[in-house]
Amino acid sequence: MAPFILLVLVSLLLVPTSSYVQQTKEGFISGVISDKGLDFAKDILIEQGIASIVQLQLPEIEKSVQVPFIGNAKVVLSEITIKDIQVNSSSVVSGESGIFLVVSGATADLAMKWRYSCSSWLIPIGISDSGNATVKVKGMQVGLSVDLRNEEGTLKLILLDYGCYVGDLSIKLEGGASWLYQVLVDAFQGNIASAVEDGISDKVSEGIGKLDTLLQSLPKQISVDNFAELNVSFVGNPVLSSTSIAIAINGLFTERNVVLVPQRYQKRLQVSSACGGLPKMIKVSIHENVFRSASLVYFREGSMQMIIDELPNQAILNTAEWRFIVPQLYKKYPNDDMQLNISASSPPVILVDYQDIRASVLVDITIDVLEAGEVIPVACISVDISASCSVDIIRNKINGRLKLEEFSAYLKWSKIGKLHISLIQSLISTALKTVVIPYLNLELKKGLALPTIDGFAFQNANILYLPPWIAVCTDVSYLEDYYLTQHSAHVS
């Protein structure tokens, strides 16, 4: 089950989300799995498929056969169990008509019990015997083809065709009469082969059914925090080509409890698996509109605000320090402490550039005087800030660093007369450079861990800037310890 999720969890796409985004039909997060990634997923899928088949017990086989000089014999094969499967070669191919996986030249080892009883006019009292046998299956081929379709924002996995073919098998009998071996070969060889083919085919169908159920259960919205959700409903049908599989999701942030209305999608998804010449398994691309939608949601929720009441040079936050810059402030509020109330006055505008992410935001800095336990707003300065953020992946974490590019300021209102903005630019610069930017960089430095999804972890990931997209190109590793833990827990 886990490997196929790998094929789809790298995706994120569109459904209408808020009034900020028009009723567009594009995915703002796309995922592309290259042929290298498909080979990796194929190997894991086969490995786990074998694990689900080993110890599979096939139905009991019973036959009555006529044995020369013995008479009618009732022979029963029971506890027919697949003990091991070895794969010689395998391949996976994708195209417009689906995804095709073929295992060829496989062998299987079976163990079983046998028993018989017979009687005739020559042997009126009857005879019986029982014992064990092993079977070697050779030249086995297993194949399946599937397709992926979007059904109202979720993925539907459709099993197009599947089957198993046994080329040859040999039986090794432990004990028993000499005639019994020939009976098993002549009368039961075809039945054993059919039982193996049917048993493995049923497991294939069962496994695809479970995968489909799991895909259908994937959420369309993911809660981010108390303010926002991420729309992860799928947009359009996956694009299957000879070299990759591409999937897209909406990927936009919305306010909590927004009801999504699925739309029809006609436009063909246009994506590229190119990773700057690096042979990576997966490429996940995020459109700058994802960041813009997040900024809008958090702006609307009033969370883009901070109060500065401490500075490295704390004296700046006292009216005495301002007596020469703004004499009227000191005259009205002598030697009173102050604070700066900073809030965004509009949603930040975010653009993906060729080397970093650019952001511009208009903020209001309200100067508050703290007098006798009362907060008194005395002036408000509007500041237009431009900054850049470089993003990198270090030790499997996405880290960022913010840099102040430039800012400009003007007086919005004042209760203490006219202020000379040029004289208080230094205060604004100090606040931005020593408090705001360091605080934000401290948060960015904590990093966002690349997720481990159902036992899969990103490995050797790189960042690419492809305006208006930013992409993560990565290989994937499978955490075997995770699988063993999950498997043992399931068994127990």
Side-chain angles (χ1 to χ4, degrees):
M1 184 176 296
F4 204 87
I5 300 175
L6 172 64
L7 302 182
V8 295
L9 287 186
V10 292
S11 41
L12 303 165
L13 291 113
L14 161 75
V15 163
T17 52
S18 72
S19 58
Y20 158 70
V21 180
Q22 296 181 350
Q23 301 294 316
T24 180
K25 299 178 183 178
E26 295 183 29
F28 294 107
I29 301 180
S30 66
V32 181
I33 304 173
S34 68
D35 49 5
K36 179 182 178 182
L38 287 175
D39 280 336
F40 173 81
K42 177 257 301 178
D43 292 341
I44 297 295
L45 182 63
I46 292 173
E47 180 181 329
Q48 294 195 12
I50 290 173
S52 70
I53 293 172
V54 168
Q55 301 304 321
L56 173 66
Q57 190 163 308
L58 305 177
E60 189 174 272
I61 303 173
E62 178 181 323
K63 263 193 175 184
S64 294
V65 296
Q66 195 69 28
V67 183
F69 307 110
I70 299 295
N72 189 59
K74 178 183 178 182
V75 184
V76 178
L77 304 181
S78 61
E79 298 182 32
I80 309 170
T81 306
I82 298 176
K83 291 294 186 180
D84 186 40
I85 294 178
Q86 297 292 327
V87 173
N88 182 39
S89 65
S90 61
S91 62
V92 61
V93 177
S94 62
E96 291 187 0
S97 55
I99 305 168
F100 305 86
L101 190 152
V102 176
V103 172
S104 57
T107 62
D109 295 318
L110 282 68
M112 64 183 180
K113 294 183 181 297
W114 57 265
R115 68 179 186 272
Y116 73 88
S117 61
C118 59
S119 61
S120 68
W121 64 272
L122 292 174
I123 314 173
I125 59 174
I127 59 173
S128 63
D129 197 3
S130 62
N132 300 318
T134 58
V135 179
K136 186 74 170 182
V137 176
K138 300 178 181 178
M140 187 167 62
Q141 295 187 23
V142 181
L144 66 94
S145 60
V146 296
D147 197 10
L148 284 169
R149 285 287 179 266
N150 182 351
E151 289 192 353
E152 297 187 340
T154 62
L155 281 185
K156 174 71 176 175
L157 181 62
I158 304 168
L159 182 59
L160 302 176
D161 196 9
Y162 66 100
C164 174
Y165 169 74
V166 170
D168 190 20
L169 61 83
S170 58
I171 303 172
K172 183 179 180 181
L173 196 64
E174 298 177 9
S178 59
W179 59 265
L180 180 61
Y181 174 77
Q182 199 59 43
V183 166
L184 290 178
V185 172
D186 294 343
F188 285 88
Q189 192 173 36
N191 296 84
I192 296 172
S194 295
V196 171
E197 292 170 349
D198 293 343
I200 293 179
S201 296
D202 289 345
K203 274 292 183 180
V204 170
S205 178
E206 177 187 323
I208 296 300
K210 289 180 178 179
L211 282 172
D212 179 52
T213 300
L214 188 61
L215 290 177
Q216 295 289 312
S217 69
L218 293 176
K220 295 182 181 180
Q221 292 171 295
I222 296 176
S223 177
V224 178
D225 51 28
N226 292 332
F227 304 112
E229 293 180 342
L230 185 65
N231 182 345
V232 292
S233 57
F234 289 89
V235 173
N237 290 319
V239 177
L240 310 180
S241 72
S242 60
T243 58
S244 64
I245 297 177
I247 312 175
I249 63 168
N250 176 287
L252 297 179
F253 285 77
T254 68
E255 290 89 350
R256 293 290 299 268
N257 303 317
V258 170
V259 178
L260 303 181
V261 181
Q263 290 187 340
R264 294 185 179 275
Y265 180 85
Q266 301 295 334
K267 181 180 176 182
R268 181 180 174 87
L269 179 64
Q270 298 292 333
V271 293
S272 168
S273 61
C275 281
L278 300 173
K280 297 295 185 178
M281 295 181 182
I282 293 174
K283 178 182 179 182
V284 179
S285 301
I286 304 173
H287 195 278
E288 60 190 24
N289 282 356
V290 174
F291 307 114
R292 292 181 181 181
S293 67
S295 71
L296 179 77
V297 169
Y298 288 105
F299 172 77
R300 285 177 171 174
E301 295 294 335
S303 60
M304 291 185 175
Q305 183 178 9
M306 68 183 299
I307 293 177
I308 298 176
D309 54 12
E310 291 183 6
L311 286 173
N313 182 5
Q314 189 64 23
I316 294 178
L317 292 178
N318 189 282
T319 56
E321 190 75 11
W322 293 54
R323 61 185 182 274
F324 300 116
I325 303 174
V326 189
Q328 61 270 36
L329 172 65
Y330 178 71
K331 182 177 180 180
K332 191 171 184 179
Y333 304 101
N335 205 34
D336 281 332
D337 289 331
M338 303 162 56
Q339 69 179 23
L340 303 179
N341 189 336
I342 303 177
S343 61
S345 56
S346 62
V349 177
I350 301 174
L351 298 171
V352 175
D353 205 351
Y354 287 96
Q355 292 183 324
D356 50 27
I357 298 174
R358 300 276 169 165
S360 59
V361 58
L362 193 63
V363 301
D364 289 339
I365 301 179
T366 302
I367 302 172
D368 297 329
V369 174
L370 309 178
E371 185 181 49
E374 186 181 357
V375 178
I376 305 171
V378 296
C380 180
I381 301 167
S382 187
V383 183
D384 191 354
I385 301 172
S386 295
S388 61
C389 182
S390 58
V391 182
D392 201 359
I393 297 178
I394 302 174
R395 295 179 182 176
N396 228 37
K397 279 190 174 183
I398 299 178
N399 300 87
R401 181 165 181 80
L402 198 64
K403 178 183 176 182
L404 178 65
E405 297 292 343
E406 59 181 5
F407 72 93
S408 59
Y410 69 90
L411 181 63
K412 194 168 186 179
W413 56 263
S414 172
K415 297 179 181 179
I416 52 175
K418 186 176 180 180
L419 301 181
H420 297 285
I421 294 297
S422 59
L423 297 178
I424 60 175
Q425 287 263 16
S426 60
L427 173 62
I428 298 173
S429 178
T430 298
L432 291 174
K433 292 179 179 179
T434 63
V435 178
V436 178
I437 298 298
Y439 169 77
L440 294 175
N441 277 332
L442 187 62
E443 294 298 310
L444 292 172
K445 189 176 180 181
K446 294 177 183 178
L448 177 65
L450 292 172
T452 297
I453 304 172
D454 206 13
F456 294 94
F458 294 125
Q459 188 177 52
N460 302 323
N462 300 94
I463 297 287
L464 289 180
Y465 294 96
L466 305 166
W469 300 83
I470 183 171
V472 178
C473 291
T474 180
D475 287 329
V476 177
S477 62
Y478 186 58
L479 306 179
E480 193 168 346
D481 291 341
Y482 174 92
Y483 171 71
L484 292 175
T485 301
Q486 296 297 312
H487 182 69
S488 59
H490 177 74
V491 171
S492 59

